[in-house]
Amino acid sequence: AQSVTQLGSHVSVSEGALVLLRCNYSSSVPPYLFWYVQYPNQGLQLLLKYTTGATLVKGINGFEAEFKKSETSFHLTKPSAHMSDAAEYFCAVSSSGAGSYQLTFGKGTKLSVIP
Amino acid sequence: DGGITQSPKYLFRKEGQNVTLSCEQNLNHDAMYWYRQDPGQGLRLIYYSQIVNDFQKGDIAEGYSVSREKKESFPLTVTSAQKNPTAFYLCASSPLLSDTQYFGPGTRLTVL
């Protein structure tokens, strides 16, 4: 069984400030971890993913995330927020089952950027 | 242009009517998925299919049905048995044995 907890359903930051979105996971097997972004009334776009290897993962739009096994965390960060970063962000964990990778999503964190 | 299309973008139906949501992909992906999204709930898996003519129930399959007659198409029917069908529905696909899913733009279903 696997689960994802995203701390904070809504986060507000000022333009130019650090963005930190928190994600903790539970998984009985080594996890694959993902961050997706969703703009209003649109589908999800992959920001970055961790499978194996380097624990600091860089993604699109200046985002990065660090896999910390000891803390079962995969927090998403960006050094300087832009207005265009305002969206909802979903953390997800995946495990292989019967040859298909099934994603379990967190409930999402809505990011607001204040000018 | 390769991608996933979902139609229509907005759908309104009366209570008690069955409705079918379309999902088509030209990415040559083997696996396809249907998710339901409710505000503050994240995404929940309804059905998935790894190969033509085969599909598996996800976490919330009750009141839904699917078919997979062609590799590129995975339509979802929301039946009258689904107690609370108003939601945003997302289709996704992935190459077989791939860890990454690619999402369509979604269909917002409102049952009046």
Side-chain angles (χ1 to χ4, degrees), chain A residues 34 36 38 41 49 102, chain B residues 9 37 48 99-101:
Chain A
F34 304 79
Y36 282 87
Q38 184 182 36
N41 289 312
K49 68 178 182 181
Q102 297 182 41
Chain B
K9 188 166 178 65
Q37 184 179 15
Y48 66 98
D99 54 61
T100 302
Q101 295 181 23

Side-chain angles (χ1 to χ4, degrees), chain A residues 29-48:
Chain A
V29 298
Y32 289 179
L33 294 158
F34 304 79
W35 277 100
Y36 282 87
V37 62
Q38 184 182 36
Y39 298 98
N41 289 312
Q42 294 187 25
L44 274 66
Q45 180 183 8
L46 181 66
L47 272 179
L48 48 80

Side-chain angles (χ1 to χ4, degrees), chain A residues 32 34 36 38 41-44 46 49 51 88 90 94 97-103 105-108, chain B residues 9-10 33 35 37 40-43 45 48 50 88 90 96-101 103-106 108:
Chain A
Y32 289 179
F34 304 79
Y36 282 87
Q38 184 182 36
N41 289 312
Q42 294 187 25
L44 274 66
L46 181 66
K49 68 178 182 181
T51 52
E88 191 158 19
F90 292 93
S94 169
S100 173
Y101 287 86
Q102 297 182 41
L103 287 174
F105 285 87
K107 294 187 176 183
Chain B
K9 188 166 178 65
Y10 298 95
Y33 307 81
Y35 292 91
Q37 184 179 15
Q41 295 296 316
L43 278 72
L45 182 64
Y48 66 98
Q50 300 172 65
F88 191 51
L90 288 157
L96 197 62
L97 302 181
S98 168
D99 54 61
T100 302
Q101 295 181 23
F103 284 80
R108 186 167 298 280

Side-chain angles (χ1 to χ4, degrees), chain B residues 30-99:
Chain B
D30 294 284
M32 296 186 75
Y33 307 81
W34 273 107
Y35 292 91
R36 171 183 170 134
Q37 184 179 15
D38 297 282
Q41 295 296 316
L43 278 72
R44 293 178 289 170
L45 182 64
I46 305 172
Y47 270 99
Y48 66 98
S49 168
Q50 300 172 65
I51 197 168
V52 173
N53 292 324
D54 185 56
F55 46 83
Q56 309 295 328
K57 291 182 179 180
D59 300 321
I60 56 165
E62 186 174 347
Y64 299 97
S65 65
V66 294
S67 62
R68 188 85 187 277
E69 296 177 1
K70 298 186 295 182
K71 185 176 183 178
E72 57 270 23
S73 178
F74 191 41
L76 173 75
T77 297
V78 185
T79 75
S80 56
Q82 169 48 235
K83 289 184 168 51
N84 188 14
T86 294
F88 191 51
Y89 290 88
L90 288 157
C91 178
S93 71
S94 69
L96 197 62
L97 302 181
S98 168
D99 54 61

Side-chain angles (χ1 to χ4, degrees), chain A residues 17-87:
Chain A
L18 171 72
V19 176
L20 170 61
L21 304 182
R22 299 178 189 273
C23 172
N24 288 87
Y25 71 90
S26 170
S27 177
S28 57
V29 298
Y32 289 179
L33 294 158
F34 304 79
W35 277 100
Y36 282 87
V37 62
Q38 184 182 36
Y39 298 98
N41 289 312
Q42 294 187 25
L44 274 66
Q45 180 183 8
L46 181 66
L47 272 179
L48 48 80
K49 68 178 182 181
Y50 168 80
T51 52
T52 57
T55 56
L56 182 62
V57 180
K58 294 189 186 300
I60 62 171
N61 301 339
F63 285 93
E64 62 183 35
E66 187 171 11
F67 170 58
K68 292 188 177 180
K69 184 178 178 181
S70 60
E71 298 177 9
T72 61
S73 69
F74 191 56
H75 302 330
L76 181 71
T77 61
K78 182 175 179 178
S80 176
H82 290 177
M83 295 299 294
S84 60
D85 295 327

